């Protein structure tokens, strides 16, 4: 089984990127090579993390393209050029075009800070997810890793784990505890993908036993 | 603190009713007296369970009333007559009218077999909840106990607990494991209510520490 080449797309701090890098280093993520980190934001700390680990870091400036379609074509080209097998979205704040999703069919993974289908869809990213969960008054939330399809947060679910909401929780404290779970689930999902242990059947994802 | 008088509304087997009865008997549900079990279905085994424990069992025949409004007025009258403090919906298959909900404001508790706001709302009851969860491909579902407001499954959440979805799960096996959690959560919520340990603030329910 050929080693899978991974590209991570990130707009911010890149803690999920770090979790994947750590997973590869420690051997929990197997059969994977992190080939490239791309950001739309030149100041994303994710780029810094990549460089610090000797991984190619690429800023692609959205302002240099007439629109989203052209920007995504450039993304596709850069990833293709490096023969990327798996695209991991780790806090990437832009919506991918249908063409991008088709170009990497069943090969894009995203991590979302709630138990999908709760608190997801258009406009649900970052702190807002946790704010809405707290305002709704749920007692349980969690994290989801899923394949990306042409909808927003609608693709087949790979892994989910629950997180209890505590009475004293703020948006920040809840986000932090959910992020810890994201850091567990994302590397695990990448490992499963890279070892060909995931099978999509309609909306269900089957996990082959180790 | 006066003992709370409880009425349970049930349409079916009444296993959640049994969980509340067992909770009262064992002392896990405190400060509570089960006063009445009402069903819209004369063959509901819930009525049988009530009678077997010496609790008043009342079938109110929907066909005897011109419509939902009149049926609910009768329900209200029967509960008022017995000075009911708390109404517990335990597999009650009819939607209550706004007038019923107003008559027992913040004093109606329902149990729902998913992690609200996932897989809830109009049409989501019984097996359909679990079928949709399986078809959606979630890896985590659960149970919710919540106050009833004028919407469907929209009231403030009292307790939730997650249940893992297993690869081999069928609608039946998943329903069974979620039901076990319902049987834990519902008596716990009734106990908290009857000991005045719940405080509703907007959509959030605060639980006073014991």
């Amino acid at each position: 089984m050929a080693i899978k080449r991974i590209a991570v797309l990130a707009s911010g701090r890149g803690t999920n990127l770090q979790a994947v890098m750590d997973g590869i280093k420690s051997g929990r993520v197997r059969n994977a090579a992190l080939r490239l980190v791309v950001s739309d934001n030149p100041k994303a700390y994710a780029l810094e993390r990549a460089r610090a680990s000797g991984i190619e870091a690429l800023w692609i400036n959205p302002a240099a393209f007439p629109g989203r379609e052209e920007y995504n074509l450039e993304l596709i080209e850069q990833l293709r050029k490096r023969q990327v097998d798996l695209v991991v979205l780790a806090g990437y704040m832009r919506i991918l075009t249908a063409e991008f999703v088709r170009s990497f069919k069943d090969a894009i993974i995203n991590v979302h800070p709630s138990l999908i289908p709760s608190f997801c869809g258009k406009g649900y990213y970052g702190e807002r997810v946790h704010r809405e969960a707290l305002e709704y008054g749920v007692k349980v939330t969690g994290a989801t890793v899923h394949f990306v399809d042409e909808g927003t947060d609608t693709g087949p679910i790979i892994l989910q784990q629950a997180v209890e909401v505590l009475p004293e929780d703020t948006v920040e404290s809840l986000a932090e505890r959910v992020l810890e779970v994201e850091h567990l689930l994302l590397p695990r999902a990448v490992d499963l993908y890279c070892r060909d242990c995931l099978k999509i059947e309609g909306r269900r994802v089957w996990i082959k036993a180790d």
Side-chain angles (χ1 to χ4, degrees), chain A residues 65-190:
Chain A
F65 297 85
R68 211 160 64 91
E69 293 296 336
E70 294 81 357
Y71 184 74
N72 273 256
L73 287 176
E74 172 69 10
L75 271 180
I76 294 168
E77 197 191 320
Q78 294 296 337
L79 301 187
R80 284 239 188 278
K81 206 187 280 181
R82 289 161 183 90
Q83 296 173 280
V84 165
D85 301 298
L86 172 66
V87 180
V88 175
L89 307 183
Y92 182 68
M93 302 301 263
R94 288 170 190 273
I95 291 173
L96 299 167
T97 57
E99 181 154 4
F100 186 99
V101 173
R102 279 194 299 268
S103 298
F104 293 92
K105 190 171 157 50
D106 298 343
I108 311 169
I109 283 177
N110 184 42
V111 55
H112 184 83
S114 77
L115 290 177
I116 289 175
S118 286
F119 310 113
C120 65
K122 281 210 167 67
Y124 279 92
Y125 56 84
E127 289 201 339
R128 191 182 151 203
V129 177
H130 304 295
R131 189 174 308 116
E132 298 265 343
L134 287 174
E135 282 173 8
Y136 198 99
V138 293
K139 304 291 187 179
V140 173
T141 184
T144 301
V145 179
H146 63 93
F147 283 110
V148 173
D149 65 12
E150 295 183 25
T152 305
D153 300 329
T154 55
I157 293 168
I158 303 167
L159 297 170
Q160 290 186 303
Q161 191 173 311
V163 172
E164 197 185 345
V165 178
L166 303 176
E168 63 272 22
D169 262 329
T170 60
V171 168
E172 292 71 29
S173 67
L174 185 57
E176 199 177 303
R177 284 210 316 294
V178 171
L179 191 59
E180 283 172 27
V181 172
E182 294 174 50
H183 294 167
L184 287 177
L185 297 189
L186 184 59
R188 200 181 301 161
V190 171

Side-chain angles (χ1 to χ4, degrees), chain A residues 54-71:
Chain A
I55 289 156
E56 188 182 2
L58 189 63
W59 169 46
I60 308 184
N61 182 4
F65 297 85
R68 211 160 64 91
E69 293 296 336
E70 294 81 357
Y71 184 74

